[in-house]
Amino acid sequence: MIEIKNISKTYKKVKALDNVSVKIEKGEIFLLLGNNGAGKTTLLKLILRLIFPDSGSIVLNRKNLKIGYMQEEKFGKSEWTVEQILKCVGELENISMYELNKKIEDVLLKCQLLKKRKAKIKELSKGLKQRIKWAQAILLDPPLLILDEPTSGLDPMGKIEVRRWIKKEKDKGKTIIISTHLLDEMEKIGTYFSILTNGKLADEGKINKLVSEDLETHFYNIVKKERKNECDY
C-alpha cells in the first residue's frame, strides 16, 4: 500500500525525520509510536502530502488514492454545525449533492450523531467532537485511513466503540495508520508497529510477535535504550 523510502525532513535547524524507511501493507492496522517530538505528525503530514520531504520518497500503490484523515488538533469553525463540517469535507470530492447527502445521513447514523446534526461545534463536548472527526474521516469510504489519537478525550465506552469501528473498517480491507500514545488500547487491534525516537526509526515489527512483553513495555525499553545511547557518545 505505502512504501516510505529514506525520508528526511528538517524545520529550520531541527531534523524532524532522519532517513526513515517504512513499508505499510494493505489491510494493516499500523501503529505509529513515539514520544512528543519524535516525528510522528511530520510523517503523517508527508503521507497526506500536506508537506514535502527534503529527501526520500513516499510511494502509494495507486494514483489519486483517497485518504480519510482524523486530525488531533482543532478542526473547522466553532460556529459551523456538524452537518456543515461534513458537507465541507464531501464537497472536496466530485460527487453529486444527492450522493453526498446520503453519505452524510449514513455516517451520522453510524456515529450516533443524528440528533446533533444542527448543533454548533462550540456547543459540543470533546467526546462528541472526536465522533465528528471520525465521521469526516470515513465519510467518503476511503481505502486508507490516517487517525491521529483517535480515542483522545473519550470515556471508556467511547474508546471501545472507536476500536470496534476501526476493526470494522479493517474487515472491509482498508489500511489504517494510527498515531497514538495509548499503547495498551491500540495494541488490542493493531497488527504492526513502528517506533520513532528523535526523528529516527528505532524499532518495528508485528505486534503478535511480541511474546515476552506487551507493546507498552517494549516501547518503554526501546525508548529508554535510545536515550541511554544518546548520553553515551
Side-chain angles (χ1 to χ4, degrees):
M1 170 62 79
I2 303 171
E3 190 169 3
I4 298 163
K5 300 179 180 178
N6 307 116
I7 283 287
S8 292
K9 179 67 177 178
T10 299
Y11 297 107
K12 295 183 179 178
K13 294 183 179 180
V14 178
K15 199 144 197 176
L17 290 173
D18 186 4
N19 198 37
V20 172
S21 295
V22 176
K23 192 172 184 180
I24 303 170
E25 299 291 349
K26 184 178 183 297
E28 203 92 75
I29 296 181
F30 177 91
L31 305 186
L32 182 60
L33 312 176
N35 291 335
N36 291 334
K40 303 189 303 299
T41 299
T42 295
L43 186 56
L44 294 185
K45 288 181 177 179
L46 286 165
I47 296 171
L48 289 161
R49 294 180 179 173
L50 298 175
I51 59 175
F52 297 93
D54 300 326
S55 60
S57 63
I58 297 178
V59 180
L60 304 179
N61 72 336
R62 72 176 195 241
K63 292 181 179 179
N64 302 318
L65 179 70
K66 286 185 181 179
I67 302 175
Y69 178 43
M70 181 179 181
Q71 67 272 50
E72 182 184 12
E73 66 270 13
K74 293 180 181 179
F75 65 107
K77 296 182 179 180
S78 62
E79 292 292 330
W80 286 3
T81 66
V82 173
E83 198 168 36
Q84 284 175 315
I85 285 280
L86 296 175
K87 280 189 176 180
C88 181
V89 173
E91 286 170 358
L92 296 174
E93 295 293 326
N94 187 25
I95 60 175
S96 68
M97 188 55 66
Y98 172 81
E99 186 180 356
L100 176 57
N101 286 335
K102 186 176 184 306
K103 286 181 180 294
I104 289 173
E105 285 295 320
D106 290 344
V107 82
L108 287 172
L109 178 62
K110 181 182 291 186
C111 298
Q112 300 169 24
L113 289 167
L114 277 173
K115 293 181 179 179
K116 297 292 183 180
R117 66 190 308 155
K118 299 298 183 183
K120 293 181 179 180
I121 301 302
K122 67 179 182 180
E123 300 169 347
L124 302 177
S125 66
K126 187 172 182 181
L128 284 171
K129 288 175 182 176
Q130 285 297 102
R131 286 177 179 268
I132 299 163
K133 291 177 186 179
W134 174 254
Q136 68 176 13
I138 63 172
L139 176 64
L140 300 174
D141 199 28
L144 174 61
L145 289 170
I146 296 179
L147 314 177
D148 197 355
E149 298 292 351
T151 57
S152 176
L154 297 180
D155 60 23
M157 280 299 294
K159 290 175 181 179
I160 292 169
E161 287 173 351
V162 168
R163 288 201 303 269
R164 288 179 176 174
W165 291 340
I166 291 170
K167 287 175 70 176
K168 285 180 181 179
E169 295 301 311
K170 181 186 183 300
D171 290 342
K172 295 178 186 177
K174 296 187 180 182
T175 304
I176 303 166
I177 302 172
I178 303 173
S179 173
T180 183
H181 289 114
L182 303 176
L183 279 63
D184 57 333
E185 288 182 8
M186 289 300 139
E187 182 179 9
K188 297 171 184 176
I189 58 172
T191 58
Y192 198 90
F193 71 91
S194 285
I195 298 174
L196 294 177
T197 60
N198 296 317
K200 296 182 180 181
L201 182 65
D203 193 44
E204 62 180 333
K206 292 185 177 180
I207 292 175
N208 62 10
K209 296 295 184 181
L210 295 174
V211 178
S212 61
E213 56 191 6
D214 60 28
L215 183 60
E216 189 173 60
T217 304
H218 184 75
F219 173 83
Y220 175 80
N221 289 334
I222 289 294
V223 174
K224 185 178 179 182
K225 179 182 176 182
E226 289 297 315
R227 285 179 173 175
K228 183 176 183 299
N229 289 341
E230 288 167 16
C231 296
D232 284 346
Y233 63 83

